[in-house]
Amino acid sequence: MTLADLPAGRTEPDGSAVVRLLSYNIRSMRDDRRALARVIRACAPDVVCVQEAPRFFRWRKHAAWLARECGLVYVTGGAPATGPMILASLRATVVRAEDVLLPHTPGLHRRGFATAVLRFGTSARLGVLSCHLSLQTDERQAQGRMLLDRLAALDARHTVAAGDLNERPRGRTFRRLAGALQDGWAVAPWGGEHTSTPVRPHQRIDAVLASEGVEVLGCGVPDGLDGVSADDLRAATDHLPVLAALRVPAEAAEPAEPPE
């Protein structure tokens, strides 16, 4: 199954928008970053939810390089969100963006969310959250609850969370999230399922999860990418990417205030 089988990003005559969203753990760009850029560029995403973005010395320079090489722009995240980051194409208008630090458990890595509300065309708005949940079970469960709360706080009718959940679909946190949101792969499987590891894919720990009302047209690990080899996927990072095509409905315009 090739990328051509997944709908391209576009705005429909009724004001709805098809949005290609990519979720990708890039391991702080410590691997072959040119292979990484080739993979992202070949997916032709409108939005990229990054995990493990560079967050230390000169992180802004590295984020800017990746965005430029992929034909995207930086929206939010990176060091301020302790790793999650959002990039977008020029199709997206940034309505607002916010980085959220989660409570810190001593001895464990500090986690956060990168969040944004993006508009496509004039009337399709999508709240986006990029996440990388804890390796520790109790903390991960708490972060799953906070993820749902934060999506609600975006004050967007249609939302999507994407990222590295550090848990398989049968896990408690994954099941809680998939009970409240649509698990893209379960709803409309496309491409491959397993995201870890690129050398021997055997588990799905990365996901795209959409709210009710968003139509999932296809979701999975892309294959048959133009200009991308199997070696590129193995060299780019230690996860495989998850690509989803989402149809976001148009929202009715707010009624104008009557003149006084």
Side-chain angles (χ1 to χ4, degrees):
M1 191 172 290
T2 68
L3 194 66
D5 299 307
L6 197 69
R10 61 181 182 269
T11 301
E12 305 284 19
D14 64 359
S16 65
V18 175
V19 176
R20 274 196 185 185
L21 184 141
L22 183 71
S23 181
Y24 208 0
N25 184 319
I26 66 171
R27 213 167 82 98
S28 299
M29 295 171 62
R30 295 200 300 266
D31 301 291
D32 185 337
R33 63 181 197 164
R34 295 204 176 274
L36 175 69
R38 283 195 293 274
V39 172
I40 296 175
R41 195 165 54 240
C43 291
D46 300 300
V47 182
V48 183
C49 289
V50 173
Q51 300 85 49
E52 291 194 37
R55 58 191 180 90
F56 295 115
F57 181 66
R58 304 183 79 177
W59 70 269
R60 291 181 181 84
K61 177 181 178 180
H62 298 307
W65 181 92
L66 184 63
R68 183 177 64 251
E69 289 296 309
C70 299
L72 303 169
V73 295
Y74 168 84
V75 175
T76 195
T82 71
M85 181 172 73
I86 298 173
L87 306 176
S89 73
L90 293 178
R91 277 194 69 210
T93 297
V94 180
V95 178
R96 57 181 178 274
E98 182 181 6
D99 298 317
V100 180
L101 288 177
L102 302 179
H104 182 222
T105 301
L108 296 179
H109 170 58
R110 184 84 186 255
R111 305 277 175 170
F113 299 144
T115 72
V117 176
L118 306 175
R119 189 179 75 246
F120 296 88
T122 59
S123 54
R125 293 200 318 159
L126 182 66
V128 179
L129 183 152
S130 178
C131 66
H132 187 184
L133 302 188
S134 176
L135 288 163
Q136 201 275 333
T137 301
D138 291 342
E139 186 179 52
R140 183 169 62 248
Q141 290 176 5
Q143 290 171 354
R145 293 191 292 271
M146 287 183 273
L147 185 156
L148 294 174
D149 290 342
R150 180 52 55 174
L151 280 183
L154 288 177
D155 193 28
R157 186 174 303 171
H158 306 295
T159 58
V160 60
D164 180 350
L165 304 186
N166 268 321
E167 188 172 271
R168 299 180 186 187
R170 291 185 179 180
R172 184 173 177 181
T173 302
F174 202 128
R175 286 189 288 110
R176 180 185 181 92
L177 294 175
L181 302 165
Q182 302 177 79
D183 175 6
W185 166 261
V187 171
W190 167 88
E193 177 181 7
H194 297 146
T195 62
S196 176
T197 61
V199 175
R200 189 174 65 87
H202 65 284
Q203 60 181 349
R204 181 162 72 97
I205 59 173
D206 303 84
V208 174
L209 302 147
S211 65
E212 183 179 356
V214 174
E215 183 182 0
V216 183
L217 303 174
C219 178
V221 176
D223 54 17
L225 297 173
D226 288 343
V228 173
S229 67
D231 287 341
D232 284 334
L233 287 167
R234 289 190 289 265
T237 179
D238 62 348
H239 283 240
L240 291 171
V242 181
L243 181 63
L246 310 170
R247 189 187 305 278
V248 182
E251 295 185 17
E254 295 292 332
E257 293 291 332
E260 296 183 356

